[in-house]
Amino acid sequence: MAEIKLMKGNEALAEAAIRAGLQGYFGYPITPQSEVIEYLAVQEPKHDYVLIQAESELAAVNMLYGSSGAGARVMTTTSSPGFTLMQEGISYLACTELPCVLVNVVRGGPGLGTIQASQGDYFQAVKGGGHGDYHIIVLGPNSVQEMVDHIFLAFELADKYCNPVMLLADGAIGQMMEKVTLPEPIPYKPNKPWATTGKTPDRKRNILTSLFIESEEMEKRNLRLQEKFKKITQNEIQYEEYQTDDAEIIVVAFGLCSRISKRAVDIGRESGIKMGLFRPITLWPFPLKQLEEIASRKNVKFFISIEMNAGQMVEDVKLAVCGKKPVHFFGRLGGIVPTPDETFNAIKSKI
Amino acid sequence: MLQEMIFAGFGGQGVLSMGTLLAYAAMKEGKEVSWMPSYGPEMRGGTANCIVNISDQPISSPIVSEYDVAVVLNQPSLKKFESRVKKDGILIWESTNIKEPPTRTDINVYGLPAIDKATHELKNVKVMNMIVLGALVKINKIVKKESLLIALRETLPERHHHLIPLNKKAIEMGMKLI
């Protein structure tokens, strides 16, 4: 039965993973997402999944590679510096086409940084932090409920496309509590004929690799990946609009900033300024066409991207708007979360 | 109806659990809630706070800069948050340990000797936060007392359930102080 609870984002995502049929979790504790491994460790005896606290993020991501290759439904979670350590493995996972769920509860960087909330890892997430031509699907939850919903969606998309899928959350969403509806657990029956589960006499060996010494073979794999990324871009884009129909100012924000910006839009509307919010839910693939369409509207005067970084998503907004309208930016850095009033004033200053 | 509240004090005074209990009680009454803690180095011996928003509508921003209610249990928190209470808002301060009282006159100010009451009348300083919470719900009626009691039962681990009567007494004492 669906249950309503008051939960922290981190705990809610851990519970959601269990209910989505998690079979393997590999991770290394790091603030602000250590509650995930804590929660899963407490729950482990009651369930069938394997949980390993690895010796490092590097080990964790490679455990993910091995167990995903064996056909298991697997996840790792970490925060910024840990996610950087995982990049090599993620590139391998993408090339080998292995499904898995990655969660980055972002903290302020660069470097060891701060443990407070940030969106400074947007580039790393959507542009590929590892080497080579690959993409991972990136979801940007903005509430505790979406931490749950996006985990289910992430596992589904990972299996559908045989690709890593990540949640780009932030420290605040991980730490805050909200009312959350937990869906019923789903029985997970993997259908993965490609998995390396041991050769049987009736089939050829399954080989999973990201090594293609012959350039022709490597190009073939690359083209296959590109074909897949095209399909994902065509089918999986998600976004949300709020008060954009008659808006003259389009605020673009994802994750926690979209919540703050929604309030800023309300403040604007109360004082007679026609503002609207466009919120990308999938950060990759990014809703380029949808933003382009909005940019073509006569009543739209300008765009402004609100982020907890020095201006990263704003580059994708500019790509979409393609010079049709001015694109501005407002952000706070280093773990500072902007308030709705501050955000509203920043938007107003561009009029 | 949207109520934006901040609870602030020293780590260990029970500000986070006060907020949790209130949020849980409001959720039980079918309301939308968000609970946003300060987290990080400031929690170790320093100040801690949480923002609790309660509304009939989905909550947009869990982070706000001005509050309908500020509950402050130490001097640094009073200094930090007194100016951020909205005009005609509510400020509750713990008067046993805060030596310099609030000065604003455009808000509703309530000083409560909660530490003193908890120590001498209830013989347990730890329930000081429940006295304050009782006073708050009496003032703004954001949740019913019964919902707080349900929240206590459902959020406290079994091994602490013998403390529920004491907590209930503290909540009722707080309500009588207003």
Side-chain angles (χ1 to χ4, degrees):
Chain A
M1 219 187 78
E3 262 181 281
I4 296 174
K5 284 193 158 184
L6 182 69
M7 282 181 117
K8 275 191 170 194
N10 288 333
E11 294 166 350
L13 96 84
E15 177 61 34
I18 297 173
R19 290 174 185 235
L22 180 75
Q23 293 175 308
Y25 174 90
F26 315 97
Y28 186 81
I30 178 170
T31 309
Q33 64 77 54
S34 299
E35 290 86 359
V36 179
I37 190 167
E38 222 177 293
Y39 188 95
L40 289 173
V42 171
Q43 297 295 321
E44 191 193 10
K46 292 185 234 161
H47 300 276
D48 282 335
Y49 58 83
V50 170
L51 176 137
I52 295 176
Q53 179 176 329
E55 72 268 32
S56 71
E57 286 85 352
L58 220 65
V61 75
N62 286 295
M63 289 175 186
L64 208 66
Y65 184 98
S67 50
S68 178
R73 180 160 266 197
V74 292
M75 174 174 89
T76 187
T77 64
T78 185
S79 181
S80 307
F83 199 64
T84 298
L85 285 170
M86 290 183 181
Q87 292 307 320
E88 181 196 35
I90 295 169
S91 173
Y92 283 39
L93 281 155
C95 184
T96 312
E97 297 194 272
L98 291 176
C100 61
V101 171
L102 314 157
V103 181
N104 183 356
V105 182
V106 181
R107 58 192 242 177
L112 205 45
T114 166
I115 59 175
Q116 307 299 329
S118 161
Q119 296 180 326
D121 301 356
Y122 177 89
F123 278 152
Q124 185 189 42
V126 306
K127 308 292 177 191
H131 57 280
D133 280 307
Y134 76 92
H135 281 291
I136 56 178
I137 300 170
V138 183
L139 307 171
N142 78 350
S143 64
V144 175
Q145 184 63 53
E146 282 195 352
M147 287 290 246
V148 171
D149 300 344
H150 284 187
I151 283 288
F152 277 83
L153 176 64
F155 276 122
E156 191 189 308
L157 290 174
D159 279 3
K160 184 174 172 189
Y161 293 103
C162 280
N163 207 70
V165 180
M166 89 175 281
L167 266 65
L168 188 71
D170 66 68
I173 291 175
Q175 293 296 325
M176 72 191 244
M177 284 199 286
E178 285 186 305
K179 186 164 98 174
V180 60
T181 306
L182 295 165
E184 280 185 60
I186 51 162
Y188 178 58
K189 290 196 189 78
N191 174 25
K192 296 173 176 172
W194 47 261
T196 50
T197 50
K199 185 192 171 304
T200 49
D202 58 332
R203 64 162 171 84
K204 278 193 188 165
R205 280 195 303 157
N206 282 342
I207 297 172
L208 296 171
T209 183
S210 70
L211 177 68
F212 300 90
I213 293 286
E214 300 292 336
S215 292
E216 288 74 15
E217 290 301 309
M218 189 72 248
E219 189 181 45
K220 226 160 93 188
R221 172 57 58 109
N222 264 290
L223 291 173
R224 185 164 116 180
L225 290 176
Q226 290 306 317
E227 194 55 39
K228 176 169 81 176
F229 298 146
K230 216 169 106 187
K231 214 186 275 173
I232 296 171
T233 307
Q234 281 163 355
N235 298 326
E236 306 301 345
I237 287 174
Q238 286 192 34
Y239 59 96
E240 199 176 77
E241 290 182 60
Y242 176 69
Q243 308 257 41
T244 52
D245 282 350
D246 64 338
E248 294 173 356
I249 300 165
I250 303 290
V251 182
V252 189
F254 74 97
L256 184 67
C257 279
S258 68
R259 300 273 297 268
I260 295 158
S261 299
K262 194 173 183 184
R263 181 68 175 271
V265 165
D266 287 339
I267 299 170
R269 288 273 169 180
E270 279 161 26
S271 53
I273 304 170
K274 286 184 178 166
M275 288 163 54
L277 172 69
F278 185 91
R279 173 200 167 210
I281 297 173
T282 50
L283 301 173
W284 194 92
F286 192 78
L288 289 169
K289 276 190 188 147
Q290 291 77 7
L291 270 174
E292 190 192 353
E293 186 274 309
I294 294 174
S296 310
R297 293 181 198 164
K298 276 204 183 105
N299 51 314
V300 172
K301 292 191 176 133
F302 68 84
F303 289 75
I304 180 165
S305 185
I306 310 293
E307 302 172 54
M308 293 189 290
N309 57 42
Q312 300 190 15
M313 184 180 70
V314 65
E315 293 195 1
D316 284 333
V317 178
K318 280 180 181 166
L319 274 177
V321 171
C322 206
K324 288 193 179 94
K325 299 284 158 66
V327 177
H328 302 290
F329 170 76
F330 172 69
R332 294 297 303 264
L333 300 167
I336 305 264
V337 178
T339 65
D341 291 322
E342 184 184 5
T343 305
F344 168 72
N345 288 332
I347 299 166
K348 206 175 144 194
S349 73
K350 307 293 180 195
I351 297 174
Chain B
M1 187 249 5
L2 169 68
Q3 281 280 304
E4 295 166 327
M5 297 170 271
I6 186 149
F7 297 84
F10 288 121
Q13 279 184 317
V15 288
L16 298 186
S17 50
M18 215 193 311
T20 307
L21 208 66
L22 188 64
Y24 194 94
M27 181 190 77
K28 279 283 164 187
E29 292 185 4
K31 295 184 174 116
E32 298 295 330
V33 297
S34 72
W35 175 94
M36 174 71 84
S38 64
Y39 66 95
E42 75 268 27
M43 285 174 81
R44 300 183 213 292
T47 58
N49 71 64
C50 64
I51 301 172
V52 176
N53 294 342
I54 297 176
S55 177
D56 298 323
Q57 306 293 326
I59 290 159
S60 54
S61 177
I63 288 165
V64 283
S65 42
E66 284 192 311
Y67 310 98
D68 299 298
V69 176
V71 174
V72 295
L73 303 186
N74 67 2
Q75 195 78 56
S77 300
L78 175 62
K79 196 173 165 205
K80 192 169 174 188
F81 296 114
E82 181 179 359
S83 61
R84 300 203 206 160
V85 179
K86 291 178 198 169
K87 190 175 171 290
D88 300 321
I90 295 164
L91 173 70
I92 300 178
W93 60 290
E94 204 293 312
S95 59
T96 321
N97 85 102
I98 296 178
K99 300 296 172 209
E100 294 166 38
T103 54
R104 278 179 68 178
T105 52
D106 59 340
I107 55 174
N108 302 296
V109 175
Y110 301 86
L112 296 177
I115 292 177
D116 185 60
K117 290 267 178 194
T119 313
H120 296 108
E121 292 179 31
L122 298 174
K123 310 289 177 208
N124 189 337
V125 68
K126 281 185 185 169
V127 292
M128 169 269 283
N129 61 343
M130 292 298 113
I131 296 179
V132 178
L133 189 58
L136 169 64
V137 299
K138 178 77 185 292
I139 296 164
N140 76 352
K141 300 178 180 59
I142 187 82
V143 295
K144 295 190 190 79
K145 183 181 92 180
E146 291 70 32
S147 308
L148 284 179
L149 299 179
I150 293 171
L152 270 176
R153 271 199 301 279
E154 294 184 6
T155 59
L156 275 183
E158 249 348 288
R159 64 180 191 281
H160 291 143
H161 274 198
H162 65 281
L163 293 169
I164 290 176
L166 178 65
N167 279 277
K168 182 176 175 228
K169 228 166 136 183
I171 290 171
E172 283 163 353
M173 179 180 276
M175 294 180 92
K176 276 193 207 116
L177 285 176
I178 298 304

